[in-house]
Amino acid sequence: MARVFFSAGEASGDAYAAALIRRLPDGFDALGVGGPQAAAAGMAPVGDSSRWGAVGIYESLKVVPRVLAGYRAAFAALTEGRPGVFVPIDYGFMNIRLARHARQMGWKVVYFIPPGSWRKDRQGADLPEVSDAIITPFAWSADILRRMGANAHWFGHPLKQLVYESRSEGARNGLAVLPGSRDHEVTANLEVIAQAADRLGASPLRLAAAPNLPDDLVKDRWATFSQTPAEIVQPARRALWQSQAAIVCSGTATLEAALAHCPCVVVYRGTRAMKIEFAIRKPKFDFISLPNILLGRGAVTELLSDDANPDRICAAMEPLLAESQTRSAMLAAFAEVDEMCGPADAIDRSAALIAEIATAQS
């Protein structure tokens, strides 16, 4: 039986691993590091990464023990048994090292969504030497990687297929809230989002809890801060297709909103430790949300830190909940993002390539 070892460090990677596993033909043995979605799809878990997500130095240090334990378990598992295909998904901190080890052990490495693939000026210098094939979500990334000597493939952005498969044809109404996939994000963001949602009065309100976080945890925190009843909806992309507009924590969900053509406001509040770190480091960036990064302009309102307060969230959301010029301009920008993301069958084509390489390896 051909072996495919997945390594996903965060919630988005877990979703991709699950989608790929479900599309592998019969006769494949899936194992690896991931979260609840990959396990439900049939992956034998070597490590659980459902609580690994973190932003900033302080929050990252808190998850280091869990990540190191998972890394050691994955390292050992790659050393044992017959080599197959190793599929690291983003999460370069751990996966670049595991990819190098896997190749030394005789595994073929297919890097799925290489770190920093959104950058248009450069790609990771180590990627050609640690991979046998790279599946990247952007055309420019594939071009750069090929010039670097990598065997790079672009089939479109895999998130587009996942979002399109959740498409709802009914009329949109109400508000979607996506408070983040990391515990510290939910803690920092949910109170101000709830206050803004109460003022906006949009109904129904759909609370899209990330699958790596317990529904009850998110729902209970919402009830602590808000008087507005909320329906828990999973996956988040289904809530985006159903809703008139959304309040979205920065991350992969911002690209989901664009591909679901759901106008949104992006918010991100950090913990007190993150604010101190930000003040010390003073990182330089133009945008934090993927739609704005891809477009190279501020098509979506981004409210960060203390700017992410109920007054500013409401002011940015009100025109998006109405038939306004602001809403129309954002939808036009999202159509551009959709075009950049290419065909809507990237998961199918990626799984076929992985299966082909695994079959040749077995």
Side-chain angles (χ1 to χ4, degrees):
M1 181 176 287
R3 304 176 77 205
V4 184
F5 192 116
F6 294 88
S7 181
E10 294 197 281
S12 58
D14 183 42
Y16 292 136
L20 290 168
I21 290 166
R22 290 192 177 99
R23 288 163 175 80
L24 291 175
D26 293 338
F28 285 82
D29 181 20
L31 68 161
V33 176
Q37 296 178 87
M43 185 190 79
V46 171
D48 179 6
S49 63
S50 59
R51 305 301 292 272
W52 288 9
V55 173
I57 295 173
Y58 177 75
E59 292 297 332
S60 296
L61 287 173
K62 289 163 65 175
V63 304
V64 163
R66 294 195 289 268
V67 175
L68 287 178
Y71 172 80
R72 287 192 290 266
F75 190 97
L78 288 166
T79 305
E80 299 169 355
R82 187 180 68 257
V85 174
F86 177 57
V87 184
I89 303 175
D90 200 355
Y91 212 71
F93 170 79
M94 181 178 81
N95 279 335
I96 292 290
R97 294 163 179 79
L98 286 177
R100 185 173 285 109
H101 172 65
R103 291 196 86 192
Q104 292 170 351
M105 295 297 104
W107 293 73
K108 296 293 184 183
V109 174
V110 180
Y111 213 120
F112 186 80
I113 307 190
S117 56
W118 47 267
R119 293 193 297 250
K120 297 183 180 181
D121 58 343
R122 68 190 187 283
Q123 297 289 294
D126 292 339
L127 289 169
E129 68 179 80
V130 302
S131 64
D132 295 282
I134 301 172
I135 301 172
T136 186
F138 299 112
W140 58 80
S141 170
D143 290 341
I144 296 171
L145 287 166
R146 289 183 195 121
R147 291 197 295 269
M148 294 167 61
N151 175 23
H153 302 262
W154 179 64
F155 302 135
H157 201 298
L159 189 61
K160 184 169 180 176
Q161 181 169 356
L162 297 182
V163 170
Y164 273 39
E165 287 175 348
S166 297
R167 188 187 312 208
S168 172
E169 299 297 339
R172 296 176 185 261
N173 58 19
L175 176 67
V177 171
L178 283 68
S181 62
R182 305 172 178 102
D183 187 71
H184 66 82
E185 291 174 340
V186 174
T187 299
N189 289 307
L190 207 56
E191 181 173 5
V192 294
I193 293 175
Q195 292 172 10
D198 284 350
R199 292 190 201 177
L200 290 166
S203 180
L205 192 144
R206 301 177 179 93
L207 183 59
N212 61 306
L213 296 176
D215 285 358
D216 287 345
L217 179 149
V218 179
K219 192 169 186 178
D220 289 348
R221 290 187 187 174
W222 178 264
T224 300
F225 301 125
S226 175
Q227 301 300 313
T228 305
E231 172 192 3
I232 296 286
V233 178
Q234 286 190 358
R237 42 194 173 269
R238 185 161 65 88
L240 291 166
W241 280 115
Q242 295 171 344
S243 300
Q244 180 83 350
I247 304 172
V248 182
C249 174
S250 180
T252 303
T254 62
L255 184 56
E256 286 188 284
L259 291 171
H261 302 270
C262 181
C264 64
V265 171
V266 174
V267 302
Y268 201 91
R269 291 177 66 91
T271 62
R272 181 172 298 181
M274 291 172 68
K275 289 182 180 180
I276 294 171
E277 178 188 327
F278 187 90
I280 294 171
R281 292 175 60 204
K282 294 183 173 62
K284 295 181 180 179
F285 52 83
D286 293 322
F287 306 108
I288 65 163
S289 65
L290 277 168
N292 286 350
I293 291 169
L294 296 177
L295 292 166
R297 66 180 192 271
V300 179
T301 299
E302 298 178 350
L303 300 175
L304 311 182
S305 191
D306 292 339
D307 286 338
N309 59 62
D311 289 339
R312 297 199 64 175
I313 294 171
C314 286
M317 282 299 305
E318 284 170 352
L320 302 182
L321 289 165
E323 295 304 320
S324 65
Q325 186 175 357
T326 301
R327 178 182 176 85
S328 297
M330 193 174 296
L331 288 172
F334 285 177
E336 293 181 54
V337 173
D338 192 300
E339 183 70 19
M340 287 183 189
C341 289
D345 61 351
I347 297 281
D348 292 341
R349 296 172 67 185
S350 299
L353 177 61
I354 292 167
E356 177 186 338
I357 295 172
T359 300
Q361 174 79 339
S362 62

